[in-house]
């Protein structure tokens, strides 16, 4: 069954996905997922950010004018909070025995949540949910989890954190996928959706990924019936009641691969595969209409409480950006901040856009990193 292959692919390729996480743009969920920024009509102030980071690192989040980034050194990972205006850095407590962390992150209340997997002395892997509280300026270990698949798609709805957990039963070709809700105020969690899959008999359901938009939860699901399998997107309301099913025939070539990104943004769906093949599709009723098929593109996400109908995508290792307007459709623009620089990643919020460039020499090699912050006075 294809569902079994997908879960096995996750187990086999999670190290590759971890590498994608650090050489490319981190996937981040924000409650409203809106980029209130227009490259052409906004009055801009461009700041050259003097931040220099050695070694393997990832840009995680843009909170107001603070950059959250992560470094990895041997078996230790460390998170930092850098303020653009004051040029100051807060170093959080390092996490030892680091094994991996996936791409998915969620911002709820005033906390940024993410999972980190560590290798215990027993040789077993432990999944840990951490949060950075921006009010208290702390990194906290929230809970631990023993799920057998160490990739946790995350999103939020009802001001609750949602994570997708997968467990394969030992010695059996069967398992469960569960959507678990975590309430930040009480620090309590509960299972809100659960599916069981029997791979040997191609029977049941397996949830592959989750996203949310406009108080609805979107679940990419593979269903096994009578020995056959097919994929759909199941839509749930804020009480986790199934209200709609969307066929994925138009993007079947994408959903049948291991995914590094699955996001619903307004009336649009963005999918990126582990091999960096991406598709943007418009949701029209219960159908999907392909808008763009491209490689090496990602979505610049924001931290904003304001609704917007504009979204920014960027094509890695180029200067090309796609501006998606829900009324006007898709257009392209070019960032011209540095003649020898190409985009590594963009992070955005209602205040501006963080642009991370890699300088390219005459031989086409990526060299030093240059960071700009475009302050927006819309």
């Amino acid at each position: 069954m294809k569902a079994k292959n997908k879960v096995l692919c996750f187990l086999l390729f999670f190290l590759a996905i971890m590498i994608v996480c650090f050489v490319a743009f981190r996937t981040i969920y924000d409650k409203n997922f809106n980029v209130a920024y227009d490259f052409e009509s906004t009055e801009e102030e461009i700041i050259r950010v003097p931040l220099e980071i050695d070694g393997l690192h990832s840009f995680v989040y843009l909170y107001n004018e603070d950059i959250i980034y992560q470094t990895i050194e041997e078996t230790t990972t460390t998170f930092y909070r850098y303020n653009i205006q004051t040029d100051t850095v807060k170093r959080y407590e390092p996490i030892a025995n680091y094994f991996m962390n996936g791409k998915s992150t969620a911002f709820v209340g005033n906390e940024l949540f993410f999972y980190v997997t560590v290798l215990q002395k027993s040789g077993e892997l432990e999944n840990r949910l951490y949060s950075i509280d921006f009010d208290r300026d702390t990194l906290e270990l929230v809970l631990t989890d023993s799920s057998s698949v160490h990739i946790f798609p995350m999103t939020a709805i009802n001001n609750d954190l949602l994570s997708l957990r997968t467990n394969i039963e030992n010695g059996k070709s069967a398992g469960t996928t569960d959507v678990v809700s975590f309430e930040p105020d009480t620090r309590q969690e509960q299972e809100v959706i659960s599916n069981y899959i029997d791979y040997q008999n191609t029977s049941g359901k397996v949830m592959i990924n989750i996203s949310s938009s406009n108080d609805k939860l979107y679940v990419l699901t593979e269903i096994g019936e009578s020995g056959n399998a097919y994929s759909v997107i199941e839509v749930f309301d804020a009480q986790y009641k199934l209200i709609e099913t969307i066929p994925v025939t138009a993007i079947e070539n994408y959903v049948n691969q291991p995914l590094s990104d699955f996001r619903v943004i307004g009336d649009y769906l963005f999918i990126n595969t582990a091999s960096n093949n991406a598709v943007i599709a418009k949701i029209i009723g219960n159908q999907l209409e392909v808008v763009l098929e491209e490689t090496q593109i990602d979505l610049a996400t924001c931290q904003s409480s304001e609704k917007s109908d504009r979204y920014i995508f960027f094509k890695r290792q180029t200067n090309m950006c796609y501006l998606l307007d829900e009324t006007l459709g898709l257009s392209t623009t070019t960032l011209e901040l540095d003649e020898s620089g190409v985009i590594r990643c963009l992070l955005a919020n209602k205040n501006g856009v963080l642009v991370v460039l890699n300088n390219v020499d005459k031989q086409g090699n990526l060299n030093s990193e240059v960071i700009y912050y475009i302050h927006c006075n819309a």
Side-chain angles (χ1 to χ4, degrees), residues 124-225:
E124 296 182 350
L125 296 175
E126 180 182 72
N127 309 306
R128 298 178 178 178
L129 178 65
Y130 285 90
S131 81
I132 293 176
D133 187 312
F134 290 102
D135 288 336
R136 296 187 296 150
D137 199 14
T138 57
L139 173 69
E140 175 191 353
L141 172 59
V142 178
L143 57 83
T144 61
D145 174 78
S146 59
S147 299
S148 56
V149 176
H150 309 290
I151 298 172
F152 297 87
M154 301 171 71
T155 189
I157 196 169
N158 295 332
N159 290 318
D160 288 346
L161 170 70
L162 300 179
S163 59
L164 178 60
R165 301 177 185 175
T166 302
N167 280 291
I168 307 299
E169 296 180 1
N170 290 331
K172 297 183 180 180
S173 58
T176 61
T177 49
D178 307 303
V179 175
V180 178
S181 171
F182 174 81
E183 210 285 311
D185 291 337
T186 64
R187 269 11 197 191
Q188 299 296 313
E189 61 177 2
Q190 63 175 336
E191 182 182 289
V192 293
I193 304 173
S194 182
N195 287 322
Y196 184 81
I197 184 72
D198 182 344
Y199 301 119
Q200 185 173 355
N201 297 308
T202 317
S203 175
K205 291 183 178 181
V206 57
M207 292 180 284
I208 306 299
N209 217 315
I210 59 175
S211 183
S212 62
S213 181
N214 299 324
D215 295 323
K216 295 179 182 179
L217 177 65
Y218 295 78
V219 182
L220 178 61
T221 304
E222 185 150 327
I223 302 173
E225 293 180 345

